[in-house]
Amino acid sequence: MGGSAVADDWEVTTNEKQTLVLLGRTGNGKSATGNSILGSKEFKSKCSSNGVTSTCKLKSTRLDKGLIIDVIDTPGLFDFTGEPDVIGKEIVKCMELAMDGIHAVLLVLSVRTRFSREELAAIQSFQEFFGQKIRDYMIAVFTGGDEFEDSDETLDEYLGKECPEPLNETIKLCDDRIVVFDNKTKDPKKKEDQLNKLLLLVTLVLDKNNGVPYTNELFKQLKALKGNSLIGDGVNQLNEPIAMSYEEHFKKLTEAVTLMLKEINTHTYLEQWATVRADRIAEKQKAEAAQSKFEDVERAFRACSKGLWEMAMT
């Protein structure tokens, strides 16, 4: 992808909690997956072509073992149909909510919808914006697990039969870290099992990254500004002049992020257009070759039929 639009800059952050960010196309079930992780209906979730989540939101839960899980639900980030300035603001807000770093990015996909090149392009834009390192934190979560209950099919079988190339590429980006979620199940055991499988993958992600959550220079800037905006008496009230500075910086940061997004989306869109065009040309050539072969066979058949007829008449 030609490198990162934001320089990677790491620092160790020790937490008693893990921050998970939900990313995916509108309608794939991000909010429902967030609710399954939290164990309660904290995010609005319903069938809607327009999407229910309009802004980034964070909700938390404490597991039995004491671990706190922060889940950040997002609207359709890196969606080509969205306005770059709106998306830019939401990306900065997401980073603000995850100021101590992101422990895992959950790419929420659906077994009910066909994975497209546009969806892959959105994921590639996300990776290009945050840098190659973000790949080490990505986990693919397939929603619609109840489909497998009805068909007795497994996720491996689903992915194994005529899996589209864009989806194969996405799974490779996640280093084959995949899990299936049934967000409709009422079975406590099934709920527990799928959550444990996800948390195991998060643990593998953290092991791969030496326990260090994803952060970069933008995270550090936001954290420093937020820390400087607090009055020294320990009460979380904003000092007015500094708060104004924070808001101004937040606005400038959002403008910079929006500009990056426009550049990345233009680049990714052109790549995607070239790929789709190449695919269409290949399909056209294949169809033309098949038609030509059919015509050759038809001509040979007619010639053979004519020869047989002439022989029969002599």
Side-chain angles (χ1 to χ4, degrees):
M1 296 298 294
S4 169
V6 181
D8 294 331
D9 191 354
W10 313 106
E11 63 175 344
V12 176
T13 306
T14 55
N15 283 326
E16 293 180 356
K17 65 181 179 180
Q18 294 176 357
T19 300
L20 312 180
V21 175
L22 299 165
L23 186 76
R25 184 173 61 186
T26 297
N28 277 1
K30 294 190 299 292
S31 298
T33 300
N35 290 336
S36 292
I37 295 169
L38 294 166
S40 58
K41 292 185 178 180
E42 301 292 339
F43 300 120
K44 278 188 178 180
S45 174
K46 65 179 181 179
C47 293
S48 172
S49 59
N50 295 324
V52 178
T53 303
S54 59
T55 187
C56 293
K57 297 176 182 176
L58 183 149
K59 297 294 181 180
S60 302
T61 188
R62 183 185 291 273
L63 302 181
D64 293 339
K65 296 179 181 179
L67 176 67
I68 297 173
I69 299 290
D70 284 350
V71 180
I72 299 177
D73 192 13
T74 68
L77 300 185
F78 298 91
D79 186 342
F80 292 117
T81 62
E83 293 295 330
D85 55 341
V86 175
I87 295 174
K89 184 177 180 180
E90 288 304 317
I91 289 173
V92 176
K93 182 175 181 181
C94 179
M95 290 189 293
E96 188 180 29
L97 292 173
M99 211 169 280
D100 289 325
I102 298 171
H103 295 80
V105 175
L106 308 185
L107 297 182
V108 181
L109 312 173
S110 174
V111 301
R112 291 189 172 93
T113 58
R114 182 169 178 80
F115 191 87
S116 65
R117 286 200 176 276
E118 289 80 3
E119 200 164 355
L120 173 60
I123 294 168
Q124 289 173 332
S125 292
F126 172 79
Q127 178 193 321
E128 188 167 347
F129 181 85
F130 283 105
Q132 293 289 331
K133 187 64 179 174
I134 198 68
R135 291 177 56 175
D136 293 337
Y137 292 84
M138 287 162 43
I139 298 170
V141 179
F142 285 86
T143 63
D146 52 300
E147 294 279 341
F148 298 129
E149 291 287 333
D150 298 334
S151 64
D152 291 327
E153 188 179 32
T154 65
L155 180 61
D156 288 340
E157 290 170 340
Y158 166 81
L159 296 174
K161 70 179 180 186
E162 299 181 2
C163 184
E165 187 56 32
L167 182 53
N168 269 328
E169 290 182 38
T170 300
I171 292 172
K172 288 177 184 176
L173 285 176
C174 298
D175 198 19
D176 293 323
R177 291 183 292 268
I178 56 176
V179 64
V180 63
F181 258 56
D182 178 357
N183 293 318
K184 294 182 177 180
T185 185
K186 304 296 183 184
D187 183 351
K189 181 68 166 59
K190 188 174 183 181
K191 289 181 180 181
E192 182 183 5
D193 286 346
Q194 64 189 21
L195 178 58
N196 285 339
K197 287 177 183 177
L198 173 63
L199 294 178
L200 176 59
L201 290 175
V202 174
T203 299
L204 292 176
V205 163
L206 291 175
D207 288 345
K208 183 180 181 69
N209 295 288
N210 299 315
V212 182
Y214 175 89
T215 59
N216 60 28
E217 186 59 35
L218 294 179
F219 282 83
K220 290 167 65 176
Q221 286 182 34
L222 284 167
K223 189 172 182 179
L225 283 165
K226 199 75 171 180
N228 290 337
S229 68
L230 300 179
I231 296 177
D233 60 4
V235 179
N236 291 341
Q237 295 176 331
L238 293 175
N239 178 299
E240 192 171 343
I242 299 178
M244 183 67 70
S245 173
Y246 177 79
E247 293 302 324
E248 289 175 352
H249 190 91
F250 189 93
K251 183 179 178 181
K252 288 181 180 179
L253 192 59
T254 301
E255 290 172 354
V257 167
T258 300
L259 182 60
M260 291 179 197
L261 282 176
K262 288 179 179 178
E263 293 174 352
I264 290 171
N265 282 358
T266 300
H267 175 250
T268 307
Y269 177 80
L270 289 174
E271 280 190 342
Q272 179 195 353
W273 178 84
T275 301
V276 170
R277 184 171 181 271
D279 287 346
R280 285 176 179 171
I281 291 172
E283 287 175 4
K284 183 180 179 183
Q285 290 174 340
K286 186 177 179 181
E288 288 174 348
Q291 180 64 26
S292 177
K293 186 175 181 180
F294 173 79
E295 290 173 355
D296 288 344
V297 170
E298 188 177 34
R299 279 193 294 268
F301 176 77
R302 285 177 179 173
C304 182
S305 298
K306 183 179 179 182
L308 291 173
W309 174 257
E310 290 174 349
M311 287 174 62
M313 296 298 294
T314 59

